[in-house]
Amino acid sequence: TNPLSMSHTHNLTTMSLLTSALLCGVMLFATPTHAAGIPEGTTLTPSGPIVISGESNVTISGRKISNPNGACVRVENNSSNIVIENSEIGPCGDRGIRIELGSNNITIRNNYIHDTSNDAIWSYKSHHIAVDSNVMINVWSGYGMWTTSEGHLSFTNNFVKNVGATECTVNCDRGFGNIVQGAFVRGPAIRITDNVAINIAGESSTEDLVSIYQSSGKASDPILIARNKFNGGGPSTSSFGMQLGDMGGSYIVAEDNILVNPPMGGLGIAGGHDITYRNNKVYGDNKRDFSGVGVSVGRVYRPSDGVGTPPGECYGHVVENNEITFWQAANLHGSGKTEPFLFPFYIPNKGTDGVSPACANIAGWSTNKFDTNKAQPANLDSSLWNPAWNTPSFLPDNPYFYSVQ
């Protein structure tokens, strides 16, 4: 029996930094004030995998958890009021933290999660989960939010670096690398805000950075994706920086985000209704052979099984006050173009079912600044990205992190 699965608070006695370093050989962290990652003065005690099943009021803190054969932490079977904080999690042979089967009121904060062969964090049929102020490096995906009608899922103030390139040893049916994917999630208070993510070419492999798949907020409380800063993505030629309304969905707002060199596309809407892109800035350079389009609004529907958005049900979308400078690569998808060219948007006339129209009129279109070969009202370039975001102040002063720069 894992002693950490007992229903009590698992806080650790804090020794002096010098004594713990000499006697235990554990990794120590120091962080600035108002920081994410592991707080200053934390001593980490090594641990094998932890399972919390059907328990309440449990705190995991100050651990260095690894498990080459599976998930590092599992929270399951209606567990509630669980806090996972101030710990290093990884390497993990599956997910870093796996939450499922009715578990609720889970807080995951100030952790360093790394080298997971599946998602850093994943939740299924669980709700009221807050993921805040963590550092995630070399993970398959940051947070996979799956299947709930209760809403109340948040991913805020996190730093994510290099998704989708870790090797898999357990549970390898893992899809593509995302920063966040919301799949079959519905309800109020779903938030993806104030995160920084970097994906370095050759060290990462992403699909959509933010994927919202068959998911919906409320008219009075839409899914909110705001104030994120993302740099890098790809090399998939079917992926976007943000893809909303994928196979349907509704009441989603993405605003005030910055995307630099995202995957094939910048901002995407693939169906659904009442989805808004507002005040976003997207720059894609002319040096990547998979870059495609700044903004795309269309409708995906499979008549064979009725999945997606049928004709007449793609409406209420708003795309306003965005700034887009985006180059399409030469000969992308066999286009025959011999040189890169500015390609800010694509609005198909038909859905993937071949039926017109794709979507109803898009509100706010004339307010956007779209750069073309004829005019560049946005005129964005790589200076949109502040180099200080590469090592933001909330990163832990962590020898491991700085050794992999």
Side-chain angles (χ1 to χ4, degrees), residues 272-291:
H273 63 87
D274 293 287
I275 296 172
T276 296
Y277 279 117
R278 177 189 300 126
N279 299 332
N280 302 288
K281 295 182 179 181
V282 182
Y283 171 71
D285 68 22
N286 61 358
K287 301 175 182 178
R288 300 169 303 139
D289 60 8
F290 54 85
S291 61

Side-chain angles (χ1 to χ4, degrees), residues 372-388:
T372 67
N373 290 336
K374 294 181 179 180
Q376 293 83 44
N379 197 30
L380 302 177
D381 57 30
S382 59
S383 66
L384 180 62
W385 186 261
N386 184 343

Side-chain angles (χ1 to χ4, degrees), residues 28-84:
L28 305 178
F29 298 77
T31 57
T33 304
H34 186 60
I38 301 173
E40 181 179 359
T42 301
T43 300
L44 301 181
T45 297
S47 170
I50 294 172
V51 178
I52 301 169
S53 181
E55 303 172 31
S56 299
N57 304 314
V58 177
T59 296
I60 304 298
S61 185
R63 289 281 175 173
K64 185 180 187 304
I65 306 164
S66 62
N67 180 15
N69 300 312
C72 283
V73 180
R74 290 167 48 197
V75 181
E76 58 193 25
N77 295 324
N78 298 298
S79 293
S80 62
N81 299 319
I82 309 299
V83 176
I84 302 169

Side-chain angles (χ1 to χ4, degrees), residues 286-311:
N286 61 358
K287 301 175 182 178
R288 300 169 303 139
D289 60 8
F290 54 85
S291 61
V293 61
V295 180
S296 176
V297 181
R299 181 176 58 81
V300 177
Y301 182 60
R302 290 200 309 254
S304 60
D305 57 9
V307 174
T309 303

Side-chain angles (χ1 to χ4, degrees), residues 298-301 303 309-312 314 348-359:
R299 181 176 58 81
V300 177
Y301 182 60
T309 303
C314 186
N349 294 322
K350 299 178 180 180
T352 58
D353 54 5
V355 177
S356 296
C359 296

